[in-house]
Amino acid sequence: MPRRARKAELDEKDRLILKLLMEDGRRSFKDMARALGMSDVAVRKRVLKLEKMGVILGYTALVDPKALGYSVVSLTGVDVEPGELLSIARKLASRDYVRSAWLTTGDHELMLEIWARDEEEMEAIIREIKDMPGVVKVCPAVVIERLKTVGRAGRPTQGA
């Protein structure tokens, strides 16, 4: 498992590689090399270095929840009793319905992205969270429309 990156010493080529990969995680070393004016072997070595440093944490596909049958997405704030934050955060982060989880300093100590098949399932999930010992308050905000996703989602394909 890669170690967690501190502020890494990155040069301009590293930053450009990261920009290209964030736009398209499937971009080939050859394609990046062409764009950067360097060899694909050099690009590969830099990508491996960035992975080992913990700058690149992994690769994933951006998926439309609706395509998988999830019609309700919620960004949900959770407030907890003092001393319970980490245990509740770990418990919730392990749930399949939680797609992302963050500890925050804003209006809520914990923010969750939750996917549900329908309103009924979302209500059941919110009830389950509210009933957890140590949870003080649950504030769901149902997403009406996703306006931006980092990466290629929503961008026209080449030639379109």
Side-chain angles (χ1 to χ4, degrees), residues 92-106:
L92 286 169
S94 73
R95 298 295 202 271
D96 287 339
Y97 54 75
V98 174
R99 305 307 297 184
S100 299
W102 303 271
L103 295 176
T104 67
T105 60

Side-chain angles (χ1 to χ4, degrees), residues 80-81 84 87-88 91 128-136:
V80 300
E81 292 175 3
E84 297 295 321
S87 104
I88 290 172
K91 205 176 289 184
E128 176 187 326
I129 296 170
K130 280 181 179 175
D131 291 344
M132 287 181 164
V135 170
V136 174

Side-chain angles (χ1 to χ4, degrees), residues 1-110:
M1 177 173 228
R3 61 190 169 130
R4 189 171 281 269
R6 294 188 193 158
K7 183 156 176 23
E9 294 296 322
L10 304 176
D11 65 18
E12 190 60 28
K13 297 267 188 194
D14 290 334
R15 291 180 192 286
L16 288 170
I17 288 169
L18 292 170
K19 180 179 183 291
L20 292 171
L21 286 172
M22 287 190 299
E23 288 172 359
D24 181 359
R26 294 180 58 176
R27 184 171 256 142
S28 71
F29 295 136
K30 191 176 205 171
D31 181 52
M32 288 189 285
R34 203 173 312 121
L36 298 169
M38 53 196 301
S39 74
D40 56 338
V41 172
V43 170
R44 183 178 184 280
K45 285 181 181 178
R46 284 175 177 264
V47 169
L48 289 172
K49 176 191 78 169
L50 292 167
E51 289 172 352
K52 284 183 183 161
M53 290 170 60
V55 175
I56 296 174
L57 300 175
Y59 303 87
T60 189
L62 298 174
V63 177
D64 181 352
K66 288 183 174 117
L68 298 177
Y70 296 97
S71 65
V72 183
V73 173
S74 170
L75 302 178
T76 300
V78 180
D79 297 333
V80 300
E81 292 175 3
E84 297 295 321
L85 180 59
L86 290 179
S87 104
I88 290 172
R90 285 187 189 109
K91 205 176 289 184
L92 286 169
S94 73
R95 298 295 202 271
D96 287 339
Y97 54 75
V98 174
R99 305 307 297 184
S100 299
W102 303 271
L103 295 176
T104 67
T105 60
D107 291 337
H108 308 285
E109 293 101 343
L110 184 59

